[in-house]
Amino acid sequence: MNGKSDNKDVLIKENPTSKISKPLTNNLESQQPLKTLSERPKEGVSLLIGQDISGLEKTLGSPDRIDQTIYGYDWYIYDSNYSGYIQVGVENNHIVTVYAIGKDLDIAPFEIGQPVEEIFNTQYIDANVDINSAGNSYRFELNDTDINMRPLVQLGDIYAQLYIDKFTGNLSSVRFIDADTLIKQRPYELVYRGQLLEAPKPTPEQWKTVEHGTEREIFDLTNVLRIRYNLKPLKWDEKTAEVAYNHSKDMLENNDFSHTSKKFGSLADRLKVAKVVYQAAGENIAANYTDGPAVVEGWLNSKGHREALLNKDFTHLGVGVYEKYYTQNFIEKWVQ
């Protein structure tokens, strides 16, 4: 076996302060924006938010699968056609969020591939986003990296989290989301006054189900991006996925965020023990991201991780998720 050097870039978390919530002092006042806040779109997939399941199935049909999340909703996954790939979050039979990355989707008022300059010229984007819900006040505080790579835009009574590909300067994907779900996920630093809205804590059994679904989402989204860049999609490899899962579990249990495990060694060591035969291999790891879409977009915006995602030589992929630790193991199989 001849393994290429492992990707030594690491992705620790989506935002170092994203899980720190601070009580809000009494001086919370929303400043008047220089631009008028956008109204809710009158077309596109964001119209799904607030509809019930019957409206979803009327628009998109039955999902290809349903994945659980730790935020109280289920992802209805539509992945039969990668150019129309979309995840729709359903809670209590109503749609609360939509993640869209397929190039053929109508994501008005945006477009996949839209230049970031055009977005900033047409949308009001602020570092502070204030939300009032059930008598409670919340403020998301975006830093410079947030604004440039994943800004948050208010569209009437919903919000759009935009994922910008910093290497191309174009919109990679968008997450439409209602206020309560955004507060539960807390993808940015949050300050608040009143009661903090939180998702129920998952049981160990629920974590297992969520992990499996997230693994499949990361696999799908990787292939959506590879096809976007005219590369062959990867095939799933179960043995490699087991190696990836064990590494994610090892990192969390031993608080050791690294490509080289103190107990199980390097990627090459771990693949050898699992009897995975390959010509070349690579690895992406990350921790504390909101979910599968967020971590894949994070990898895309990191040079070393991006190179693994878009490596033309890799043929197979195994993904392992343990709670909020994520591992991708790529391999190029021997050609018979």
Side-chain angles (χ1 to χ4, degrees):
M1 294 184 291
N2 180 23
K4 293 181 180 177
S5 61
D6 293 346
N7 170 20
K8 296 303 180 185
D9 238 353
V10 295
L11 224 57
I12 296 178
K13 55 179 67 176
E14 189 171 8
N15 184 325
T17 57
S18 64
K19 297 307 172 191
I20 300 175
S21 301
K22 301 177 293 186
L24 190 64
T25 57
N26 290 327
N27 63 351
L28 173 61
E29 293 181 2
S30 300
Q31 297 181 350
Q32 291 299 318
L34 298 177
K35 296 181 182 179
T36 303
L37 292 175
S38 300
E39 296 180 354
R40 185 163 178 178
K42 295 180 173 58
E43 60 180 336
V45 297
S46 70
L47 292 179
L48 290 170
I49 294 183
Q51 294 188 25
D52 59 23
I53 293 180
S54 63
L56 171 62
E57 294 183 345
K58 182 178 179 180
T59 303
L60 296 178
S62 299
D64 296 296
R65 70 172 189 274
I66 299 176
D67 295 342
Q68 287 188 20
T69 77
I70 61 172
Y71 301 108
Y73 62 84
D74 293 333
W75 278 127
Y76 281 49
I77 308 292
Y78 296 84
D79 67 348
S80 59
N81 178 8
Y82 280 153
S83 63
Y85 185 95
I86 188 171
Q87 300 183 192
V88 180
V90 177
E91 182 176 9
N92 297 326
N93 293 322
H94 284 81
I95 298 164
V96 297
T97 185
V98 174
Y99 174 73
I101 191 173
K103 66 180 181 64
D104 292 341
L105 295 171
D106 182 353
I107 59 168
F110 313 103
E111 294 181 10
I112 298 296
Q114 185 177 10
V116 65
E117 295 86 356
E118 185 176 306
I119 294 173
F120 274 72
N121 286 335
T122 57
Q123 301 295 327
Y124 173 69
I125 296 174
D126 194 5
N128 296 325
V129 177
D130 297 327
I131 300 175
N132 293 309
S133 177
N136 303 302
S137 298
Y138 306 90
R139 171 180 287 170
F140 286 107
E141 298 180 346
L142 283 65
N143 58 35
D144 290 343
T145 300
D146 295 330
I147 292 174
N148 290 317
M149 293 172 53
R150 51 192 193 99
L152 186 65
V153 179
Q154 185 173 353
L155 302 172
D157 61 346
I158 66 171
Y159 299 83
Q161 188 178 17
L162 309 178
Y163 292 100
I164 307 297
D165 183 338
K166 73 176 184 180
F167 291 92
T168 64
N170 297 329
L171 180 63
S172 177
S173 63
V174 61
R175 186 194 303 256
F176 297 104
I177 190 166
D178 68 15
D180 286 354
T181 306
L182 180 63
I183 294 166
K184 290 177 186 177
Q185 291 188 347
R186 303 205 290 276
Y188 311 95
E189 183 170 358
L190 174 67
V191 293
Y192 68 97
R193 181 172 62 231
Q195 184 176 359
L196 181 61
L197 183 63
E198 297 187 273
K201 186 177 180 180
T203 66
E205 292 76 17
Q206 289 172 330
W207 264 121
K208 292 294 183 184
T209 303
V210 170
E211 290 161 359
H212 178 70
T214 304
E215 290 167 353
R216 300 305 301 191
E217 291 161 28
I218 291 174
F219 174 78
D220 282 338
L221 293 169
T222 299
N223 279 335
V224 170
L225 292 172
R226 289 179 65 87
I227 292 171
R228 178 180 295 177
Y229 288 96
N230 300 313
L231 299 170
K232 290 183 179 180
L234 301 173
K235 296 180 180 179
W236 181 267
D237 187 80
E238 189 60 36
K239 282 188 176 181
T240 306
E242 291 175 5
V243 173
Y245 175 81
N246 289 334
H247 188 57
S248 291
K249 187 172 186 287
D250 175 55
M251 286 192 293
L252 183 146
E253 291 183 343
N254 293 286
N255 192 27
D256 182 22
F257 188 75
S258 172
H259 288 286
T260 302
S261 167
K262 294 177 181 177
K263 295 175 66 176
F264 304 108
S266 67
L267 173 59
D269 296 328
R270 288 178 268 124
L271 290 173
K272 182 178 180 180
V273 170
K275 298 181 180 180
V276 175
V277 180
Y278 63 95
Q279 294 188 71
E283 179 173 84
N284 283 342
I285 60 175
N288 296 335
Y289 272 64
T290 302
D291 56 12
V295 74
V296 172
E297 289 290 356
W299 280 327
L300 186 68
N301 266 334
S302 173
K303 185 176 183 296
H305 300 88
R306 184 187 186 94
E307 290 173 354
L309 281 169
L310 303 180
N311 186 312
K312 65 180 179 59
D313 294 326
F314 289 142
T315 59
H316 291 72
L317 173 63
V319 183
V321 176
Y322 190 76
E323 294 191 8
K324 284 194 172 183
Y325 279 71
Y326 310 88
T327 301
Q328 282 183 311
N329 285 160
F330 303 86
I331 60 172
E332 178 189 0
K333 286 201 173 184
W334 287 100
V335 178
Q336 299 296 327

